[in-house]
Amino acid sequence: MSWEVKSLDNIIIFQRGFDLPKTDFKVGDFPVVGSTGIIGFHNEFKVKSPCVVTGRSGTLGVFQYLNEDFWAHNTTLWVKEFQGNHPKFIYYLLQTLDFKSLNGGVAVPTLNRNVLKNVFISYPKSLETQKRIASILSNYDDLIENNLKRIKLLEETVQNIYKEWFVNFRFPNYEHTEFDAQSVLPVGWEITELENLVTLRQGFALNKKSGHHISNEVTEYPLLKISDLFNDTETLFVKNSIPKQFLVDEEEIIFSRTGQVGHAFMGRKGVIYNNCFRVIANANINTYFLFSTMLFPSFVSYAKGLATGVAQPDLNHGAFKSIKITNPSIELQNEFSLIFKKNLQLKYCLKNQNKKLKEARDILLPRLMNRTIEV
């Protein structure tokens, strides 16, 4: 197998993304791709697929493979010329490089594409070899993507059942249920404030006084920052000495209250960060029903509307507890929770599969690229 060493700018050619103010983001068919992912949509595109994109400002070292035409935002660099190389192979090859070390910025991480001429890398000249390597790694990513689609379907299924039962009132045996003429709710249901249904616990405030709780090693208590909750990652860990009041387990609800207000999470164990609440349901409401309520679009929108502050929106305890929700009979909530928990178990299983697939792919990637494994 013939491999050779070249500077990166002799293997591919990067181009800077295009200016597009946020005010120009429109609902369109083409994604606007920033340094970390899709940040909007537009009715025009600048780059034809397939293409590989990475960040040049703000976030460095994140690589994206696009199979659809898109607008490359000015925070990115995109591969203008693959120069005869296989695009998917280039996507994997770039992941073996430490782009973060090429940072030339001070306050904002910045990548100048001119420095790429000083980055040398070994790669196979044979297009067939590139295709074989890309195919092996793509098999893992395809399985991960299929699992993500299945997870999304499971989530949509539960939300559709929630809407049908508790919004449209088409729950089991609804035809034989008596409705209250004044409230227009089934008898036994009520509208009540969260104040009467939950207890809130504030998250852990990380500062100079509390910094000694942070661990330099992996522990059983990840610090659950909002970014980690969204990305299903663990990036910072807390020592076992952390006060137990900040701990959350898989069956408790985390709700974001500062910055990105209004997002509910479940299924994570660790230490909640200060920009979140731990929401503990009392005996008058089922936790899984409450979680589904907090995921419903009208609840999310209302909670965001209660946040104060401009630069940093904040939802305080009192405002959250003032939110009124429909509280059905506990028997019906419990029936719904059986469906929810079954779907949740399948979701956890798929997430665990994805974790193992990612670990296997990440072990295999450098070995294929440094020829420890020949193909």
Side-chain angles (χ1 to χ4, degrees):
M1 185 192 306
S2 177
W3 289 57
E4 64 179 35
V5 177
K6 281 187 177 182
S7 64
L8 191 57
D9 67 333
N10 281 317
I11 299 174
I12 56 176
I13 298 175
F14 274 114
Q15 179 168 313
R16 181 184 183 276
F18 306 92
D19 293 338
L20 183 65
K22 284 189 176 181
T23 54
D24 289 343
F25 289 7
K26 302 174 182 178
V27 176
D29 297 327
F30 305 104
V32 177
V33 178
S35 59
T36 59
I38 295 173
I39 57 175
F41 289 87
H42 198 49
N43 52 18
E44 298 179 27
F45 70 91
K46 284 282 190 179
V47 184
K48 290 193 68 64
S49 64
C51 193
V52 178
V53 181
T54 190
R56 69 160 196 90
S57 177
T59 300
L60 309 182
V62 175
F63 302 95
Q64 304 169 67
Y65 184 82
L66 278 298
N67 251 329
E68 56 184 332
D69 299 341
F70 65 99
W71 185 295
H73 193 255
N74 60 18
T75 57
T76 68
L77 295 175
W78 57 280
V79 179
K80 181 181 180 180
E81 295 288 345
F82 287 96
Q83 305 197 119
N85 295 297
H86 190 264
K88 201 63 177 286
F89 170 80
I90 293 298
Y91 165 67
Y92 290 117
L93 179 69
L94 290 172
Q95 292 181 53
T96 65
L97 305 179
D98 183 12
F99 268 43
K100 292 181 181 179
S101 67
L102 304 176
N103 177 27
V106 181
V108 178
T110 304
L111 174 64
N112 186 327
R113 67 178 182 270
N114 292 327
V115 305
L116 299 179
K117 64 185 178 182
N118 299 318
V119 177
F120 288 84
I121 191 165
S122 174
Y123 79 108
K125 294 172 60 178
S126 166
L127 189 60
E128 287 305 312
T129 301
Q130 293 183 15
K131 287 180 180 179
R132 287 198 295 272
I133 291 174
S135 177
I136 292 169
L137 296 169
S138 289
N139 287 336
Y140 288 88
D141 282 338
D142 290 344
L143 288 171
I144 290 169
E145 183 62 28
N146 285 336
N147 282 346
L148 290 174
K149 290 178 180 178
R150 292 175 65 189
I151 288 170
K152 185 177 180 181
L153 285 173
L154 287 170
E155 292 172 344
E156 289 174 349
T157 297
V158 170
Q159 281 296 291
N160 287 337
I161 293 172
Y162 175 91
K163 182 178 180 180
E164 190 71 359
W165 285 22
F166 304 112
V167 178
N168 297 333
F169 300 144
R170 293 182 176 274
F171 47 84
N173 205 37
Y174 76 94
E175 305 96 328
H176 308 291
T177 299
E178 183 181 355
F179 283 72
D180 182 89
Q182 186 173 357
S183 68
V184 199
L185 293 174
V187 171
W189 295 31
E190 64 175 351
I191 295 177
T192 186
E193 293 182 344
L194 287 175
E195 169 78 35
N196 303 313
L197 302 171
V198 304
T199 300
L200 299 183
R201 293 285 183 267
Q202 187 71 29
F204 172 68
L206 179 59
N207 50 44
K208 290 182 179 179
K209 292 184 178 180
S210 61
H212 64 280
H213 287 294
I214 299 301
S215 173
N216 294 323
E217 300 176 350
V218 174
T219 71
E220 61 179 313
Y221 299 127
L223 182 60
L224 302 174
K225 304 188 298 285
I226 289 180
S227 58
D228 290 317
L229 291 168
F230 275 119
N231 299 324
D232 202 20
T233 54
E234 297 177 349
T235 57
L236 198 61
F237 294 85
V238 177
K239 297 176 182 177
N240 294 344
S241 59
I242 189 76
K244 304 308 178 188
Q245 69 193 65
F246 299 121
L247 301 183
V248 63
D249 65 35
E250 293 93 337
E251 295 191 350
E252 291 183 310
I253 300 169
I254 303 170
F255 192 77
S256 60
R257 54 167 290 271
T258 303
Q260 300 184 66
V261 175
H263 300 279
F265 304 91
M266 202 174 186
R268 298 297 297 270
K269 179 181 179 180
V271 176
I272 54 171
Y273 197 46
N274 191 43
N275 52 11
C276 292
F277 294 131
R278 177 161 60 112
V279 184
I280 305 168
N282 65 25
N284 297 317
I285 190 167
N286 182 286
T287 297
Y288 298 105
F289 167 78
L290 175 61
F291 179 62
S292 292
T293 298
M294 294 166 69
L295 291 176
F296 205 70
S298 59
F299 184 98
V300 175
S301 177
Y302 189 78
K304 287 182 176 181
L306 291 176
T308 57
V310 180
Q312 184 81 326
D314 181 79
L315 179 67
N316 63 46
H317 288 238
F320 180 85
K321 287 185 175 181
S322 73
I323 299 175
K324 292 182 178 180
I325 67 168
T326 299
N327 192 32
S329 67
I330 195 66
E331 292 79 15
L332 188 60
Q333 292 183 41
N334 291 339
E335 188 174 348
F336 171 78
S337 76
L338 295 176
I339 299 172
F340 187 100
K341 284 192 283 188
K342 183 178 180 180
N343 276 30
L344 196 63
Q345 288 171 353
L346 289 172
K347 180 178 172 181
Y348 289 163
C349 181
L350 292 170
K351 280 191 170 185
N352 188 50
Q353 286 180 18
N354 274 2
K355 182 180 179 181
K356 293 179 179 179
L357 287 167
K358 288 177 183 177
E359 290 172 350
R361 179 203 60 196
D362 292 345
I363 291 172
L364 191 58
L365 173 59
R367 294 181 179 179
L368 287 169
M369 294 303 181
N370 65 20
R371 303 178 69 183
T372 301
I373 300 176
E374 295 278 8
V375 295

